[in-house]
Amino acid sequence: MSDHPSLDRLRELRRAQDEELAAQGLDGARRRFLEVAAGGSSRPGAARLGPARARWIAPAALVALAGACAALLLVLLPSSRSLSFAVGSAQGQVGAWIAAGADAPLAVAFSDGTSLALDANARARVVAADARGARVLLEGGRLTATVTHTATSAWNFDVGPFDVLVTGTRFELSWSPVSEELKLVLREGSVAVSGPLVGGRRTVAAGETLDVFCKEQRFELTRGELPAAARPPPSSTRIDQAASEPAPAATGTSERARIAKAADASPRPPSWRDLVAGDRYREAMTAAEAEGFDGLVARASAADLLMLADVARFSGKPDRAAAALTAARRRFAGSGEAAKAAFHLGRMAFDQRRSYAEAERWFLVYLEEQPGGSFAQEALGRVIECRESMGSAGEAREAARRYLALYPAGPHAAHARDLLEGE
């Protein structure tokens, strides 16, 4: 059903006008239009206006009708132009990295009034945009979003294995790929979150906070602030405790010399793992390269290989990321980490290179190895998109049927139903 009842009528008038012009020629169309304009019938044999009047009124009336239709269609039809956006003071590009520096947040402003603010070290990507909204991938870190609401708004945020469906709202969203923890704080409006642990479509309303701890297999949905007993003790408590402890006994000269020497020594530089823990991925990449990236890949654990891949991806080095993920596939075949590596290889192929055949292959590998895994819902949804992008309509519908059978309320469900509507 159209949002504007008059819009269907305008389209009907324009279609009728085109059909008359094609069927009867200009003279026939003039006669029928003048009959209707004069309040008469368009049926054969009905009274008609005189031919002399028709010769000069009909052309002007037809032009006026066409102009009115065009003007009203421009007003009533939604714009087909995709949203544009700016990253800081620069024009944004769909698919390009958006990475905030270590010292200051980064603003992303969309042409519909929607705005994002990426905290320091946060990384995101606008993977798609159309006239109704955009799909934003938050790779890591924290962002604050204020989404402008219209009758046709369609905004999605991909966060790890989660999908956040948004209309008009204001919220803070963060994701740590290392600890696999999601945090969503709703300030205004509501969103629907789907993904592992939380289910198909869990609504989070204003004033609520959702925390998901994937590694611990649990989530918490709370309203309002944490109670005082649940808050971590302030740092002053530790300082006061330290101040209340008795001072150490005086030490000998040799002991004081040893302490002074240790204080003068340069502190050990942080390792790449230490830097990842602080979301300092570019510095972590520099440290990993200094240590020997290839050597790290050859001896790292499965979990460290996935972490190294994140470090490389977030530092803008996809080749290094692919090397770490491929090593995880080769060295730890059959493990959960190897399956996750397949998913990330698929997402890189889809989002960064638009290599849909390669992406589909990796998503199917993940689904074969982890059919109930945390990324299964997203992987199957991406299979639908891959097949559509390659023009494989029949195979896309097959994937859509499978998706609806498994995830009837999932983020790709509406699109899957659209694909199957004509069957």
Side-chain angles (χ1 to χ4, degrees):
M1 181 71 66
S2 172
D3 293 334
H4 305 282
S6 61
L7 184 57
D8 293 333
R9 178 61 180 156
L10 285 172
R11 286 175 172 146
E12 183 183 343
L13 285 171
R14 186 174 64 179
R15 185 165 53 251
Q17 175 184 291
D18 292 342
E19 289 172 356
E20 283 297 319
L21 286 171
Q24 301 181 24
L26 183 59
D27 288 338
R30 286 172 179 165
R31 284 194 301 274
R32 182 172 178 180
F33 175 79
L34 289 171
E35 289 165 2
V36 175
S41 170
S42 60
R43 291 173 297 175
R48 292 183 173 89
L49 295 177
R53 184 173 176 79
R55 285 192 189 95
W56 66 268
I57 291 181
L62 284 173
V63 170
L65 175 63
C69 287
L72 283 171
L73 284 171
L74 285 174
V75 172
L76 296 176
L77 280 173
S79 172
S80 61
R81 290 188 60 189
S82 295
L83 296 181
S84 59
F85 61 98
V87 180
S89 59
Q91 181 67 34
Q93 298 293 328
V94 171
W97 274 108
I98 304 173
D103 302 323
L106 181 61
V108 182
F110 289 82
S111 54
D112 71 339
T114 294
S115 63
L116 311 178
L118 276 66
D119 279 12
N121 293 314
R123 299 155 308 283
R125 189 193 304 270
V126 178
V127 296
D130 59 25
R132 299 182 303 155
R135 180 175 169 185
V136 179
L137 175 65
L138 177 62
E139 290 276 9
R142 179 176 176 273
L143 64 77
T144 299
T146 302
V147 177
T148 299
H149 176 67
T150 68
T152 58
S153 293
W155 284 83
N156 283 81
F157 288 76
D158 293 336
V159 193
F162 300 94
D163 176 84
V164 180
L165 176 64
V166 180
T167 52
T169 191
R170 184 166 62 89
F171 62 91
E172 288 129 39
L173 182 63
S174 63
W175 167 251
S176 170
V178 177
S179 61
E180 297 185 12
E181 295 180 7
L182 169 80
K183 188 177 190 70
L184 173 64
V185 182
L186 253 293
R187 303 296 182 187
E188 295 176 6
S190 65
V191 301
V193 182
S194 62
L197 302 176
V198 299
R201 271 279 183 258
R202 180 172 294 275
T203 299
V204 183
E208 294 182 334
T209 297
L210 175 67
D211 290 281
V212 186
F213 308 92
C214 294
K215 290 184 177 180
E216 300 174 22
Q217 290 293 291
R218 67 183 180 89
F219 74 91
E220 299 173 357
L221 182 60
T222 56
R223 185 166 186 83
E225 295 186 0
L226 288 173
R231 295 176 191 154
S235 58
S236 59
T237 302
R238 293 191 295 271
I239 295 172
D240 292 342
Q241 288 172 345
S244 65
E245 294 175 358
T251 58
T253 305
S254 60
E255 181 66 10
R256 287 197 298 272
R258 185 186 68 78
I259 294 173
K261 182 177 180 181
D264 290 340
S266 298
R268 180 183 66 85
S271 69
W272 67 271
R273 291 185 190 84
D274 296 332
L275 294 165
V276 168
D279 288 337
R280 297 158 62 184
Y281 286 92
R282 291 188 182 276
E283 294 172 64
M285 189 66 202
T286 301
E289 293 284 18
E291 192 173 336
F293 191 89
D294 293 334
L296 285 173
V297 167
R299 63 179 182 271
S301 67
D304 278 356
L305 283 171
L306 294 183
M307 197 185 303
L308 280 169
D310 284 341
V311 168
R313 284 192 304 123
F314 300 157
S315 302
K317 296 190 175 182
D319 292 343
R320 288 297 208 188
L325 294 171
T326 303
R329 296 284 308 160
R330 182 182 66 253
R331 293 180 51 214
F332 300 96
S335 68
E337 287 81 1
K340 287 182 181 179
F343 176 82
H344 290 308
L345 284 166
R347 197 163 68 173
M348 287 174 62
F350 188 103
D351 292 338
Q352 297 179 26
R353 300 195 303 278
R354 300 292 190 264
S355 180
Y356 301 115
E358 180 188 353
E360 180 201 25
R361 177 170 64 85
W362 283 122
F363 290 137
L364 290 173
V365 166
Y366 176 84
L367 289 168
E368 181 180 352
E369 297 180 2
Q370 294 278 299
S374 57
F375 293 105
Q377 181 176 265
E378 175 68 11
L380 186 53
R382 291 293 189 103
V383 168
I384 298 173
E385 295 179 5
C386 288
R387 291 176 175 177
E388 269 196 295
S389 299
M390 292 187 293
S392 304
E395 293 183 357
R397 287 193 293 271
E398 177 189 348
R401 281 189 289 270
R402 180 181 171 190
Y403 186 94
L404 289 173
L406 293 171
Y407 314 109
H412 288 82
H415 183 55
R417 291 189 185 93
D418 288 343
L419 285 177
L420 300 174
E421 205 172 54
E423 291 190 332

